[in-house]
């Protein structure tokens, strides 16, 4: 919103993605990073396991079909999201069941007849630090911040989990 925040991403010798920067909530309030998933997720994917180290803030994990028309009335497919609470400096692992994701469409509510996410149609994954949680409620100052502040999320691994592995 106005491009007031600054982000960077880098990878290291230990194969981790570091998403960091400074967020400015004066006139905006989110930073995100996205990456394509060539060919989509395997069709038997029931969940995605993420290993990460955060900074005490609550991020969101985002999945979408990669539709680049993200704004305006032409946006028909939702993004699917789940909150990712972090503890400062602590490595954590979470398994995100695809059926636990919340659909979201920019600019309005999602129709109640939205189908569950189809793994084979997922073409993009992302991480976001936002004023809003996946539920649409405000991300509390304690897990977001206020004013202008730094953030840091290290993604150590992302792997798919099949339905058989969930049992």
């Amino acid at each position: 919103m106005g491009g007031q925040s600054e982000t960077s991403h880098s990878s290291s010798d230990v194969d981790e993605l570091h998403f960091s920067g400074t967020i400015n909530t004066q006139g905006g309030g989110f930073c995100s990073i996205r990456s394509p998933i060539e060919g989509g997720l395997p069709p038997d994917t029931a969940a995605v396991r993420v290993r990460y180290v955060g900074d005490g803030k609550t991020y969101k994990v985002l999945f979408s079909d990669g539709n680049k028309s993200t704004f305006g009335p032409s946006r028909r497919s939702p993004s699917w999201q789940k909150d990712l609470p972090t503890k400062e400096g602590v490595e954590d692992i979470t398994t995100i069941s695809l059926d636990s994701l919340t659909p979201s469409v920019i600019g309005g509510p999602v129709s109640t007849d939205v189908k569950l996410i189809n793994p084979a149609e997922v073409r993009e994954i992302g991480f976001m630090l936002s004023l809003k949680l996946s539920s649409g409620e405000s991300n509390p100052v304690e897990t977001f911040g206020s004013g202008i502040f730094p953030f840091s999320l290290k993604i150590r691994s992302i792997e798919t989990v099949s339905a058989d592995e969930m049992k």
Side-chain angles (χ1 to χ4, degrees):
M1 302 197 62
Q4 303 213 14
S5 299
E6 296 179 15
T7 65
S8 67
H9 64 279
S10 62
S11 59
S12 68
D13 293 339
V14 293
D15 290 329
E16 74 180 13
L17 170 69
H18 190 192
F19 172 47
S20 63
T22 302
I23 193 165
N24 183 342
T25 63
Q26 300 164 349
F30 75 92
C31 291
S32 66
I33 186 171
R34 295 180 194 98
S35 178
I37 301 172
E38 299 298 327
L41 297 174
D44 65 343
T45 301
V48 174
R49 186 171 295 124
V50 181
R51 187 168 58 99
Y52 58 94
V53 176
D55 56 4
K57 295 175 176 49
T58 298
Y59 293 81
K60 292 191 267 191
V61 181
L62 308 167
F63 299 90
S64 79
D65 64 6
N67 179 349
K68 296 298 180 198
S69 179
T70 56
F71 299 104
S74 63
R75 174 76 178 183
R76 297 289 180 247
S77 53
S79 68
W80 297 83
Q81 47 190 281
K82 183 75 172 180
D83 293 333
L84 185 70
T86 70
K87 299 174 197 113
E88 187 171 358
V90 175
E91 182 175 281
D92 207 349
I93 297 173
T94 189
T95 301
I96 302 167
S97 172
L98 295 185
D99 62 8
S100 73
L101 297 172
T102 302
S104 174
V105 175
I106 294 173
V110 175
S111 169
T112 56
D113 64 348
V114 171
K115 298 181 291 186
L116 289 176
I117 190 169
N118 178 346
E121 293 175 2
V122 173
R123 297 284 192 260
E124 189 173 71
I125 186 171
F127 294 89
M128 176 184 282
L129 179 59
S130 171
L131 280 166
K132 300 291 183 183
L133 298 170
S134 295
S135 66
E137 295 176 18
S138 293
N139 194 347
V141 170
E142 300 80 33
T143 59
F144 179 64
S146 65
I148 300 170
F149 56 89
F151 68 92
S152 173
L153 179 65
K154 296 176 181 175
I155 307 299
R156 298 216 163 136
S157 66
I158 302 170
E159 59 185 341
T160 60
V161 180
S162 70
D164 287 341
E165 293 173 281
M166 295 286 288
K167 295 177 185 178

